């Protein structure tokens, strides 16, 4: 099990509190998590997801979608599976692994941003005879009473494009968590949690040049 650094524990605690605030809001909200490259963003978000599902004081149930640029979604899935290997609560899946055309409770669907961000948004969104597309998967997931949380990894690469905005509209998540070292700050942000470079260097996660 990975032991979190002090700044990582603090960031997870702060982020958890901010997401709980956004969950109580009547509207869908965007939360920004800004943390330097090399600070362990994936580990912190992994811990955050675990905290969200394991420490509930209410009856909220979650399904997660994690989108990454290039082939980073594969690396992220591997990292999270390793992180959760002692905790069977959370399940990491690709599109083809989903059962009953929905994202189960405490299941994280990993998607490559570029494969759904092409001109036709290919198989994920396109209508088909099996009704196995992102629209129906989101609809089925929400029909089961689960809250959808969208995590956009390296959001500065993709979250502001027109196709990405369309996709976010299709998913219509209760919370969009944008994770980046250099986020594009927009007007409709509800919460921001920022890890300071000095704290990361103090823990020697990044060496001072």
């Amino acid at each position: 099990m990975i032991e979190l650094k002090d700044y990582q524990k603090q960031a997870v605690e702060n982020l958890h509190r901010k997401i709980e605030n956004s969950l109580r809001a009547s509207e869908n909200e965007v939360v920004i998590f800004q943390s330097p490259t090399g600070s362990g963003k994936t580990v912190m978000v992994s811990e955050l997801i675990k905290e969200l599902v394991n420490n509930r004081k209410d009856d909220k149930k979650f399904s997660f979608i994690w989108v990454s640029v290039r082939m980073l979604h594969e690396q992220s899935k591997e990292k999270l599976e390793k992180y959760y290997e002692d905790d069977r609560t959370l399940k990491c899946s690709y599109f083809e692994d989903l059962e009953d055309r929905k994202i189960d409770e405490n299941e994280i669907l990993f998607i490559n941003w570029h494969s759904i961000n092409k001109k036709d948004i290919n198989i994920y969104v396109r209508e088909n005879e099996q009704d196995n597309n992102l629209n129906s998967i989101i609809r089925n997931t929400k029909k089961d009473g689960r809250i959808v949380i969208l995590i956009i990894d390296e959001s500065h690469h993709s979250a502001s494009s027109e196709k990405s905005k369309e996709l976010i509209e299709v998913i219509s998540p209760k919370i969009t968590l944008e994770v980046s070292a250099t986020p594009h700050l927009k007007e409709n942000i509800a919460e921001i949690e920022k890890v300071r470079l000095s704290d990361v260097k103090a823990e020697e996660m990044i060496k001072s040049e």
Side-chain angles (χ1 to χ4, degrees):
M1 187 65 192
I2 297 168
E3 182 64 33
L4 267 64
K5 305 287 186 186
D6 286 344
Y7 75 84
Q8 292 175 325
K9 288 178 190 168
Q10 189 62 59
V12 170
E13 191 181 310
N14 293 346
L15 202 49
H16 189 175
R17 188 175 63 251
K18 288 170 179 177
I19 283 179
E20 291 292 351
N21 287 342
S22 285
L23 285 168
R24 285 191 287 272
S26 56
E27 303 293 322
N28 294 349
E29 293 202 339
V30 176
V31 177
I32 299 279
F33 180 37
Q34 182 175 0
S35 192
T37 302
S39 60
K41 291 191 288 294
T42 303
V43 165
M44 288 184 272
V45 177
S46 303
E47 182 62 25
L48 169 72
I49 293 170
K50 195 167 87 169
E51 292 276 317
L52 277 169
V53 303
N54 287 340
N55 298 324
R56 295 240 52 82
K57 293 176 183 148
D58 53 34
D59 59 357
K60 287 188 176 76
K61 295 180 174 67
F62 299 108
S63 296
F64 301 89
I65 299 174
W66 182 301
V67 291
S68 299
V69 293
R70 296 182 295 279
M71 300 311 287
L72 284 178
H73 69 301
E74 293 179 358
Q75 289 177 33
S76 300
K77 183 174 180 284
E78 281 173 25
K79 279 186 188 174
L80 268 74
E81 281 176 329
K82 195 167 190 319
Y83 193 80
Y84 298 140
E85 62 188 354
D86 298 326
D87 185 336
R88 296 293 170 205
T89 316
L90 286 140
K91 181 182 177 186
C92 300
S93 302
Y94 290 132
F95 196 82
E96 56 271 21
D97 302 325
L98 299 179
E99 294 175 16
D100 300 324
R101 294 196 287 274
K102 58 190 171 190
I103 309 165
D104 280 335
E105 182 180 351
N106 303 338
E107 184 170 23
I108 308 166
L109 169 63
F110 288 83
I111 300 178
N112 174 325
W113 208 217
H114 291 296
S115 68
I116 47 176
N117 221 12
K118 291 175 187 168
K119 199 169 182 184
D120 62 350
I121 322 190
N122 73 28
I123 190 168
Y124 290 110
V125 179
R126 201 166 53 220
E127 299 296 326
N128 54 49
E129 286 173 20
Q130 294 78 33
D131 200 28
N132 190 23
N133 57 64
L134 195 60
N135 283 313
S136 61
I137 283 164
I138 297 299
R139 190 169 58 246
N140 295 339
T141 302
K142 290 180 179 178
K143 201 191 290 182
D144 275 7
R146 286 188 292 282
I147 293 165
V148 174
I149 294 181
L150 173 64
I151 297 143
I152 305 178
D153 193 17
E154 303 293 349
S155 62
H156 59 281
H157 282 297
S158 51
S160 59
S161 78
E162 282 310 310
K163 284 290 172 192
S164 303
K165 287 174 188 169
E166 278 177 40
L167 183 75
I168 293 166
E169 215 170 286
V170 167
I171 297 169
S172 188
K174 175 64 186 158
I175 307 286
T176 300
L177 177 62
E178 295 192 14
V179 182
S180 175
T182 54
H184 294 158
L185 300 180
K186 304 181 289 288
E187 290 176 10
N188 63 336
I189 295 162
E191 302 273 3
I192 299 177
E193 175 59 25
K194 183 175 178 178
V195 172
R196 288 177 174 79
L197 183 60
S198 56
D199 293 339
V200 181
K201 284 182 174 176
E203 293 273 11
E204 299 190 333
M205 288 287 281
I206 298 173
K207 301 293 181 201
S208 295
E209 291 300 327

